[in-house]
């Protein structure tokens, strides 16, 4: 691939990368959206909110809030080819802080997401010895097990031999067991105690200690892998997702079939699909469904706009949006039909005398431990358990690494877009390395005994309410400040008119469903959810452990450190500018991406113009050494530049084959010495042909 350059601020810098193919982009978005949340967060929230009642709320919010917001973020990213903080600073300077908020959210989320990737790698390595021996969570007779560890396999053997089970062993001398009668409510599986062992989990968030060395080493290896995947840029990382985005679907289908054949799986399925209608009238399912919708689609984190910014300008985003959103929804439902049958099976094994719904609900509420406790226990009971465990934790690793790549890409892109000179290969590699190293340093704290508690805290405050606030302000700003009608024009400019009956039927490129949701339905849903969350705020919990007040205050500090950028930057801009019109309207740099057209040794740069002009009304300037004549652009008055053609970034030969709505764009005669803006050229040779919507306007009226 040849290195392309552009002229920015008088300097020759490397041009922004683009995806090699459409499939690279779609799979990257799918991998980013379909993450670990669909495996452990979705079932946990289902269990906490009455099963199917949560699923119904989730589907409604996915369609009327998630889908329109997803399309909006993709559109503005592709239209501008900018990272979030630069995008919003040009779209509406008063709301520049939205971009900084999104970058901050990505920093926090990437930190704890990488720890979950580390746990997956740790469990993957621990599953390998299962080839020649038992898995480490198979029995309760290990050094890390205590008297609460319950092994139903050994217990059944003890009953058959008229002995008494205790701590993974059958005892004949009952005197040893005096005072050791363990209630069923206090039983813990071997996998749960193994999880506590490898995490070196403390008794609470205040029980801090030294980082666990093997966990820290695994975390370091995980960050090195992220560096190696990203150092070559999006063109290389776009190929990684061919494996990381497709394998989870394949394996989950296999696991779903196997799980539904287990004894007791029907109890879990009933819990998942039979709604408790009384819960639909409560705020809990709707609040959690809203958080899960925006978390699972990765909205408000800046990742979607960053991925879309590497697209070609005319990419069909409507199809991409439908594929990713419904792909995420299907994966979540598949996860539910996989998790709950297994929960039903394990619950019936451990609590055989409990009512079905009660025992399933107890396991479903285990939160972040669901993946690393329930699944290992269920897979351990299958034939060739080590095969299932290796494949499952490899799937978890892929799910986590997909999302992690994009969150780190948001941070790196924010830096290199702010300082374009850093786009050079070696300099960008240094930026990637420093970003990964800082992420590793932050993750070391999560390798201490309080790591799992910090993950819960970060997940609640950086991955929940923070996202909803950022998205609510984003939608209000774009719909009412920037203007939803202007956004619709941007979409039409990129994707053009429908070319088939199917496109007309679905309202291509933007149907009324989207803009109705943008201006009313989605803001109302998000606003009501945010208010309900503030009203019903309660202390953070992890299982039965209730976080102390100071921990929740730290959580609110995390939330504020993300969202505070929005009002702070707005106040700063208002004090400096003191002009509402300039603060709220797009800047002179807003519009279609500034693009440098290669004309041999000459570079013709197209800079975005005023937002009030039509897309083709742009300022054109040549980068060179001395001023030349406007006639250098062509021979005769019939060969003039149509700026809309520059926006489309294509070169058309003069003649009858040229489009009737676009004038030929001739670049062969550009003088390499032209340096000034071609205002005089516009004055002398203003284009008076038809606009793209059929109207006529003289560009000279701008001047």
């Amino acid at each position: 691939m040849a290195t392309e350059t552009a002229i920015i601020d008088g300097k020759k810098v490397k041009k922004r990368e683009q995806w090699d193919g459409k499939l690279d982009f779609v799979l990257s978005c799918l991998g980013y959206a379909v993450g670990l949340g669909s495996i452990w967060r979705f079932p946990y929230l289902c269990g906490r909110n009455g099963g199917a009642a949560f699923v119904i709320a989730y589907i409604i919010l996915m369609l009327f809030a998630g889908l329109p917001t997803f399309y909006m973020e993709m559109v503005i990213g592709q239209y501008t080819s900018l990272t979030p903080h630069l995008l919003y600073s040009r779209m509406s300077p008063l709301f520049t802080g939205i971009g900084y908020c999104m970058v901050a959210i990505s920093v926090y989320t990437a930190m704890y997401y990488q720890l979950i990737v580390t746990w997956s790698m740790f469990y993957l390595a621990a599953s390998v010895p299962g080839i020649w021996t038992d898995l480490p969570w198979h029995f309760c007779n290990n050094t890390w097990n205590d008297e609460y560890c319950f092994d139903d396999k050994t217990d059944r053997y003890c009953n058959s031999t008229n002995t008494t089970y205790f701590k993974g062993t059958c005892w004949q001398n009952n005197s040893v067991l005096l005072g050791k009668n363990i209630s069923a409510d206090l039983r813990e599986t071997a996998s749960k105690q193994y999880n506590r062992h490898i995490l070196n989990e403390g008794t609470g968030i205040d029980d801090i200690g030294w980082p666990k060395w093997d966990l820290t080493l695994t975390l370091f290896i995980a960050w090195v892998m992220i560096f190696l995947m990203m150092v070559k840029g999006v063109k290389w990382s776009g190929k990684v997702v061919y494996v990381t985005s497709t394998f989870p679907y394949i394996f989950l289908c296999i696991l779903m079939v196997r799980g539904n054949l287990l004894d007791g799986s029907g109890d879990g399925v009933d819990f998942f699909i039979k709604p408790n209608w009384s819960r639909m009238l409560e705020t809990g399912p709707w609040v959690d469904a809203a958080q899960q919708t925006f978390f699972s689609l990765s909205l408000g984190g800046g990742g979607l706009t960053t991925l879309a910014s590497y697209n070609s300008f005319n990419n069909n985003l409507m199809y991409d949006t439908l594929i990713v959103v419904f792909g995420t929804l299907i994966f979540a439902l598949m996860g539910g039909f996989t998790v709950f049958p297994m929960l039903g099976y394990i619950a019936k094994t451990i609590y055989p005398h409990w009512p079905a719904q009660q025992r399933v609900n107890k396991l479903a509420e285990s939160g972040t431990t669901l993946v690393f406790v329930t699944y290992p226990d269920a897979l351990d009971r299958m034939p060739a358990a080590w095969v299932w465990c290796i494949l499952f934790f490899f799937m978890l690793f892929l799910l986590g690494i997909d999302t992690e790549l994009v969150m780190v890409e948001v941070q790196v892109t924010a830096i290199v877009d702010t300082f374009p000179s850093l786009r050079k290969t070696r300099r960008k590699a240094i930026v990637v390395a420093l970003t990964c190293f800082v992420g590793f340093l932050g993750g070391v704290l999560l390798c201490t005994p309080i790591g799992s508690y910090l993950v819960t805290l970060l997940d609640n405050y950086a991955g929940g309410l923070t996202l909803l606030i950022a998205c609510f302000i984003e939608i209000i700003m774009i719909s009412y400040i920037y203007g939803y009608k202007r956004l619709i024009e941007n979409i039409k400019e990129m994707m053009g008119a429908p070319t088939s009956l199917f496109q007309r039927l679905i309202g291509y490129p933007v149907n009324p469903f989207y803009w109705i949701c943008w201006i009313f339905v989605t803001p109302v849903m998000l606003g009501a959810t945010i208010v309900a969350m503030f009203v019903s705020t309660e202390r953070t919990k992890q299982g039965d452990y209730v976080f102390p007040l100071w921990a929740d205050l730290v959580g609110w500090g995390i939330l504020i450190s993300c969202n505070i950028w929005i009002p702070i930057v707005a106040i700063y801009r208002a004090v400096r500018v003191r002009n509402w019109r300039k603060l709220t309207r797009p800047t002179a740099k807003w519009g279609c991406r500034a693009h440098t057209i290669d004309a041999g040794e000459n570079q013709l740069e197209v800079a975005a113009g005023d937002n009030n002009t039509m897309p083709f009304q742009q300022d054109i300037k040549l980068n060179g050494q001395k001023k030349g004549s406007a006639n250098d652009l062509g021979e005769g008055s019939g060969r003039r530049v149509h700026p809309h053609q520059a926006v489309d970034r294509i070169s058309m030969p003069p003649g009858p084959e040229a489009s009737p709505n676009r004038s030929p764009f001739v670049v062969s005669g550009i003088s390499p010495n032209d340096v000034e803006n071609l205002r005089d050229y516009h004055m002398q040779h203003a284009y008076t042909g038809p606009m793209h919507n059929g109207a006529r306007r003289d560009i000279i009226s701008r001047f």
Side-chain angles (χ1 to χ4, degrees), residues 114 117 222 226 229 244 396-405:
Q114 188 71 332
V117 172
I226 291 291
M229 292 179 185
T244 60
L396 286 186
F397 168 75
L398 296 181
L399 288 172
I401 213 74
D402 261 348
T403 307
E404 185 70 18
L405 282 170

Side-chain angles (χ1 to χ4, degrees), residues 398-630:
L398 296 181
L399 288 172
I401 213 74
D402 261 348
T403 307
E404 185 70 18
L405 282 170
V406 179
M407 289 187 288
V408 177
E409 185 67 45
V410 171
Q411 302 169 46
V412 172
T413 305
I415 297 173
V416 299
D417 275 7
T418 304
F419 308 99
S421 61
L422 296 177
R423 291 177 185 166
K424 294 182 178 179
T425 303
R426 291 183 178 178
R427 294 180 182 178
K428 186 173 181 179
I430 295 174
V431 173
V432 174
L434 290 176
T435 303
C436 292
F437 182 69
V438 171
F440 166 72
L441 292 180
V444 169
L445 181 62
L446 303 181
C447 295
T448 63
I450 65 172
S452 63
Y453 300 101
L454 291 178
V455 168
T456 300
L457 201 67
L458 287 168
D459 182 55
N460 284 352
Y461 288 97
L465 182 58
T466 308
L467 293 176
L468 298 184
I469 294 175
C471 288
F472 176 73
I473 298 175
E474 175 191 41
I475 293 171
I476 292 297
M477 184 271 289
I478 295 177
S479 299
Y480 293 100
I481 305 298
Y482 179 72
Y484 74 94
K485 292 183 179 179
R486 183 180 293 159
L487 182 65
I488 292 173
E489 288 299 318
N490 298 155
I491 296 173
K492 291 179 178 178
E493 178 187 348
M494 287 191 294
M495 292 184 278
T499 57
S500 66
L501 178 61
F502 174 74
Q503 289 185 346
R504 292 187 181 93
L505 291 176
I506 65 174
Y508 178 92
V510 54
N511 57 49
F513 167 79
Y514 287 107
W515 61 261
I516 291 173
C517 288
W518 290 338
I519 65 176
F520 179 70
V521 179
T522 305
V524 169
M525 282 185 165
L526 285 181
T529 302
I530 293 171
V531 171
M533 291 182 71
F534 276 107
V535 172
S536 60
T537 298
E538 56 184 22
R539 301 280 281 278
T540 304
K541 294 181 180 179
Q542 179 171 304
D544 296 329
Y545 175 75
V546 180
F547 282 56
L549 178 61
W550 67 265
D552 278 312
L553 292 178
V554 171
W556 283 104
I558 293 172
L559 184 148
I560 293 173
S561 67
C562 293
N563 294 129
I564 196 66
W565 290 101
I566 300 175
I568 283 182
V569 176
I571 294 172
Y572 172 78
R573 295 271 186 173
V575 171
R576 290 289 302 273
V577 178
R578 298 184 182 182
N579 186 317
W580 179 256
R581 185 183 181 88
K582 291 183 178 179
L583 285 170
T584 56
R585 299 181 63 179
T587 67
K589 293 183 178 181
W590 171 256
C592 306
R593 64 192 72 189
H595 186 79
T596 303
I597 300 173
D598 189 3
E601 298 178 356
N602 314 311
Q603 297 291 340
L604 178 64
E605 183 179 5
V606 182
D610 193 307
N611 63 292
N612 287 326
T613 66
M614 297 309 294
F616 59 78
Q617 293 176 309
Q618 310 290 320
D619 295 326
I620 301 179
K621 59 185 178 182
L622 292 176
N623 300 295
Q625 300 298 323
K626 70 178 184 178
K627 182 177 180 180
S629 167

